[in-house]
Amino acid sequence: MTGNVINLHKPTDPPTGPDAPTVLTIVPPAPPVPLWVRSGRAVKTAVTHERTTTAARALARHTLYVAGGGRIVARRTWEARTPARYERMMRAAEAAGNLEEAREWEERGQHFRDARHRRRMDLLHSPLEAARGAAVTAGTGVGVLVALGVCMAIATKDPAEVVTPLMAVIKFINLMITIVQVVWGPAVSLGPFLALLALWSVGAHQKAAPAWVLPEQHRSGEGEPITPSIVVKALRDLGVPALRNAIKEMGDAGASMLGPIRIAGCGVEVDVTLPSGVSTVEVQQRRRKLAENLTRHEHEVFITIPTAARTVRLWIADSGALDEPIGPSPLMTDDTMTADYAKGKAPWGQDLRGDAATLSLYQRHLLITGLSNQGKTAALRALALWLALDKRVEFRIADLKGVGDWAMFEGLATDLIQGPTDDHVVDATRMLELGVEEMNDRIQAPPGTEFPPLILLVDEAQVAFMCPLVDGGKRPYGGSKATSRYFMAARKIHNQGRAVNVLLWQGTQDPTDQNLPKLVREGAHTRASLALGTESQARMALGDKAVDGGAAPNLLRPGLDQGTVVVASSGIDIPKGQASITVRTHFISTDDAAVIADRAKALRDGVTVLRAVDTGADRDALADIAAVLGDAPRVKTQEVLKRLSALDSHTYGDWSFIDLKRELSAAGAEPYKSDGVMVVGAERVARALADRDRDGSASAS
């Protein structure tokens, strides 16, 4: 029962003050909510309650199982009695472009029709044959029973026993009739229910109901095993109408599209032959949706294009497997490892199949790029550390970040520039220009001369390209013009350095046309990329061919896929038909890198990194050169080296054209070309000796 509400308050009108009277106001109660409103709310709550919806879905599900089971049984019956199955398989083969298989299914269908025709023709004669057989069987059976009764009558001397076997059979038949009469009624009543139960069982086994009535599946984060049916369903639901319709028309529900599912490292690999009218690009562009259909994350599915026409190769990782770290680098586990620049391969990491990924560095310029803090320096440094174990290799390094990532190469590299300022860019540019001079000197050497490898390594090269500094001749250090010093030095090395083992390695981040010019990035033989932001950056880093073939560093996850690189190079084993390969590189920390660098220094103990001319303590190189020239006006440089080696193999046995040229250039008697070959002029050497002796006499006086 609801009563009135009484409010006590003072009036707002005068009189006012502490003695003002208190006014009592009676507020009427709120009207009660109508019964029909409360009933409606209760009904709405009951209808939308979770238990109500779950029960309704369960009722609808089991009802639809019966309808779906009936549809499946009807289709099976129809296919068993008609050639519909063969026709469907024939259409599937035609859709897949396999005409030979289509002809085979057509022949099978014709054989089925012939056999069915013979069975139907046999039915015309079967009633007479059945009646004749029944009569013969009945007569034979009665005769046998009478004969048995005669034997029993003779044995018992009772003529009544003659009909005993026959009567026993009659009584048995009567018993069967009685049993049928008893069972027939309940069987007729229960038969429809048993038939519905059988149809429900078929429908429930095949999940023949719409998805909205099926029970929710609480999947674990590990994903489902990859099976042919899951792959076909994922392709069917990809949103490509031509692909969906082709799968529906295939008699095997699309299984003929799939090749064998092979275990490949921490995942599986399968080739999918697309039906006519479906482009591989349409599948590549839907990578995320395909991954979600396969209950995987986008980074766990890779789509590449093999050599076969209309085929995509899917590599599907085990759920979460790519988040597991790979093992340590062999450089850390094998203290006896050495490198071979010409014939060896650097142990860089593992591919997605779990196989070792090794990279040949022989006569290949290198470019590695990616977003900041993705492991670019560590990946580049791992290659340099391996190559440092070949004591023939000379390094000249410019680290334009300057935070100590390359400090372990102190004493190992001929030049080590560390810092991000414009002055450091000037030093790095001069380092490359000296490399160009070295390259030109080597190019002028006689044919067949072997040169030690020279690696010019610039980390954070975008700092050099973006440097605004201009030299005294108004030539900019940065930029990508024909007057840009760093750019032109890099271009010259890319053009001719490989042939004489002068190589340029560059690491850069967040590539654009401004901080990584087109001519420079396309001059690299080995191009690798970590995670990037856009497809256009991926094309800058790897080239159009690699990206069109499935390379997608822009789909790597920044911060999560650190150290994972997409590589386009002839120096690494790439599966046939692919333009790139994804490698999870070994991480070598700065401390471990210092240990490996110390091993490289120990291997070089007694070997100078920059080749120096050792003329011996008691030899005068210029005088020896003049002596071996004899009376000839000029001698080929290669012949001069042979004569010097014969004169003193200990001093001159290891000399190359570079050593000879350095000695002569210092004296002002540089070799020159005559008839297309490099020669040493006797007159120049004699003049250099005279000038030296005159200068020496003047100094002594």
Side-chain angles (χ1 to χ4, degrees):
M1 180 176 179
T2 304
N4 296 332
V5 178
I6 300 176
N7 292 332
L8 301 178
H9 62 89
K10 294 183 179 180
T12 57
D13 297 331
T16 60
D19 297 330
T22 300
V23 179
L24 299 179
T25 303
I26 300 177
V27 180
V33 178
L35 181 60
W36 63 271
V37 174
R38 287 182 289 171
S39 300
R41 292 175 180 173
V43 170
K44 181 179 179 181
T45 303
V47 169
T48 59
H49 194 273
E50 182 180 358
R51 281 181 289 185
T52 305
T53 56
T54 302
R57 287 173 55 196
L59 178 61
R61 178 170 65 250
H62 293 290
T63 302
L64 292 172
Y65 278 164
V66 176
R71 186 176 63 255
I72 293 172
V73 171
R75 186 175 67 250
R76 290 176 180 176
T77 303
W78 175 256
E79 291 182 350
R81 305 186 68 84
T82 66
R85 175 181 304 170
Y86 302 97
E87 293 176 358
R88 189 174 69 252
M89 299 295 285
M90 184 172 61
R91 288 195 301 269
E94 290 175 348
N98 194 339
L99 299 181
E100 183 178 353
E101 185 178 351
R103 284 193 296 269
E104 181 181 351
W105 283 111
E106 185 179 11
E107 291 177 1
R108 291 185 181 184
Q110 187 59 42
H111 291 325
F112 174 83
R113 291 186 184 93
D114 294 341
R116 183 181 61 180
H117 178 71
R118 287 194 299 270
R119 289 194 302 269
R120 290 177 177 176
M121 294 303 295
D122 290 341
L123 289 177
L124 298 176
H125 307 285
S126 58
L128 296 177
E129 296 295 334
R132 186 180 298 111
V136 172
T137 302
T140 302
V142 171
V144 171
L145 292 175
V146 171
L148 181 59
V150 170
C151 293
M152 292 176 61
I154 294 173
T156 58
K157 298 179 181 181
D158 185 2
E161 294 292 336
V162 173
V163 296
T164 299
L166 189 59
M167 294 304 297
V169 172
I170 293 173
K171 290 180 179 179
F172 177 75
I173 294 174
N174 185 53
L175 177 61
M176 291 297 101
I177 293 174
T178 303
I179 293 174
V180 170
Q181 290 175 343
V182 172
V183 174
W184 181 256
V188 170
S189 301
L190 295 176
F193 296 101
L194 295 176
L196 291 176
L197 181 61
L199 295 178
W200 174 89
S201 177
V202 173
H205 181 71
Q206 297 291 332
K207 296 292 188 292
W212 63 270
V213 299
L214 294 177
E216 295 182 0
Q217 298 180 1
H218 301 283
R219 295 172 178 157
S220 65
E222 298 183 358
E224 297 179 356
I226 299 301
T227 62
S229 60
I230 288 178
V231 176
V232 171
K233 186 176 183 299
L235 293 169
R236 185 195 67 193
D237 299 338
L238 203 54
V240 182
L243 180 58
R244 181 178 63 251
N245 295 334
I247 292 175
K248 287 182 178 179
E249 293 178 359
M250 293 180 182
D252 57 357
S256 59
M257 296 192 307
L258 306 184
I261 296 180
R262 304 176 296 272
I263 296 177
C266 57
V268 296
E269 184 179 74
V270 59
D271 287 349
V272 181
T273 303
L274 301 175
S276 178
V278 181
S279 170
T280 55
V281 176
E282 293 181 282
V283 177
Q284 281 185 302
Q285 292 176 343
R286 292 168 172 81
R287 176 183 172 185
R288 173 175 293 182
K289 189 170 184 179
L290 178 61
E292 292 173 350
N293 291 346
L294 293 168
T295 66
R296 294 295 188 273
H297 296 292
E298 183 177 10
H299 72 279
E300 295 175 329
V301 174
F302 288 82
I303 306 172
T304 54
I305 309 298
T307 54
R310 287 202 337 263
T311 302
V312 293
R313 178 168 294 162
L314 306 181
W315 185 85
I316 307 162
D318 297 336
S319 186
L322 294 184
D323 297 327
E324 303 274 339
I326 64 174
S329 170
L331 293 173
M332 299 165 55
T333 58
D334 186 0
D335 294 338
T336 63
M337 176 175 285
T338 58
D340 188 336
Y341 163 75
K343 299 179 181 179
K345 289 188 174 184
W348 208 12
Q350 293 180 0
D351 61 17
L352 296 179
R353 295 167 180 80
D355 299 329
T358 57
L359 179 67
S360 173
L361 304 173
Y362 178 66
Q363 293 189 343
R364 289 180 175 88
H365 301 300
L366 186 146
L367 171 66
I368 181 170
T369 185
L371 298 177
S372 177
N373 195 33
Q374 298 305 308
K376 169 181 54 63
T377 298
L380 182 60
R381 187 175 63 191
L383 297 176
L385 287 171
W386 175 81
L387 195 57
L389 297 176
D390 185 343
K391 60 185 181 182
R392 301 171 298 171
V393 180
E394 176 188 351
F395 284 95
R396 300 179 188 178
I397 299 175
D399 175 16
L400 298 182
K401 181 164 53 177
V403 295
D405 289 335
W406 296 90
M408 69 289 302
F409 278 82
E410 182 73 42
L412 191 59
T414 305
D415 297 322
L416 182 59
I417 302 165
Q418 300 183 89
T421 67
D422 291 343
D423 291 337
H424 293 100
V425 173
V426 172
D427 293 339
T429 303
R430 184 57 186 154
M431 181 188 79
L432 258 63
E433 291 174 339
L434 291 174
V436 173
E437 295 179 9
E438 176 83 6
M439 176 189 72
N440 292 333
D441 290 343
R442 294 184 178 191
I443 290 174
Q444 296 176 11
T449 305
E450 295 185 2
F451 306 102
L454 172 59
I455 307 298
L456 304 170
L457 192 155
V458 182
D459 195 11
E460 306 296 341
Q462 77 278 355
V463 177
F465 285 113
M466 299 299 290
C467 178
L469 201 64
V470 179
D471 65 7
K474 303 299 182 181
R475 294 182 59 194
Y477 285 92
S480 57
K481 298 180 180 179
T483 57
S484 300
R485 293 182 59 176
Y486 182 91
F487 170 76
M488 290 306 299
R491 287 291 300 132
K492 291 176 181 178
I493 295 172
H494 277 169
N495 288 339
Q496 296 178 303
R498 182 192 66 82
V500 291
N501 288 333
V502 177
L503 303 178
L504 176 60
W505 292 6
Q506 295 183 97
T508 182
Q509 63 176 254
D510 202 10
T512 64
D513 285 328
Q514 288 73 37
N515 64 25
L516 187 60
K518 178 181 176 65
L519 293 178
V520 171
R521 61 181 184 251
E522 291 188 350
H525 303 96
T526 295
R527 300 168 72 172
S529 176
L530 295 102
L532 289 173
T534 64
E535 182 179 326
S536 62
Q537 288 184 318
R539 293 184 180 275
M540 292 180 189
L542 300 177
D544 291 337
K545 180 180 178 181
V547 175
D548 292 338
N554 53 300
L555 296 181
L556 295 174
R557 302 167 299 166
L560 297 177
D561 291 325
Q562 288 181 326
T564 299
V565 296
V566 183
V567 187
S569 172
S570 60
I572 194 170
D573 293 332
I574 297 177
K576 186 177 180 181
Q578 296 181 202
S580 64
I581 187 171
T582 302
V583 177
R584 304 172 67 199
T585 60
H586 296 294
F587 175 71
I588 302 176
S589 67
T590 302
D591 293 339
D592 292 329
V595 174
I596 299 171
D598 290 340
R599 282 167 36 204
K601 294 173 186 176
L603 287 174
R604 296 164 183 255
D605 188 19
V607 178
T608 55
V609 179
L610 178 61
R611 190 178 182 83
V613 179
D614 182 7
T615 59
D618 301 323
R619 311 275 337 166
D620 184 342
L622 191 60
D624 287 343
I625 293 172
V628 298
L629 290 177
D631 297 331
R634 68 187 67 86
V635 179
K636 295 179 180 179
T637 54
Q638 199 168 9
E639 181 63 25
V640 172
L641 290 172
K642 291 181 180 179
R643 294 179 183 181
L644 287 173
S645 180
L647 178 65
D648 189 343
S649 60
H650 176 73
T651 302
Y652 302 113
D654 292 335
W655 267 37
S656 68
F657 171 79
I658 303 298
D659 302 323
L660 177 62
K661 182 180 179 181
R662 185 179 292 112
E663 180 67 25
L664 292 173
S665 298
E670 297 90 344
Y672 61 94
K673 276 193 176 183
S674 176
D675 295 330
V677 296
M678 298 298 295
V679 298
V680 178
E683 182 181 353
R684 291 187 178 187
V685 175
R687 186 169 56 248
L689 276 173
D691 292 344
R692 189 185 66 178
D693 293 342
R694 185 169 54 254
D695 293 341
S697 300
S699 300
S701 62

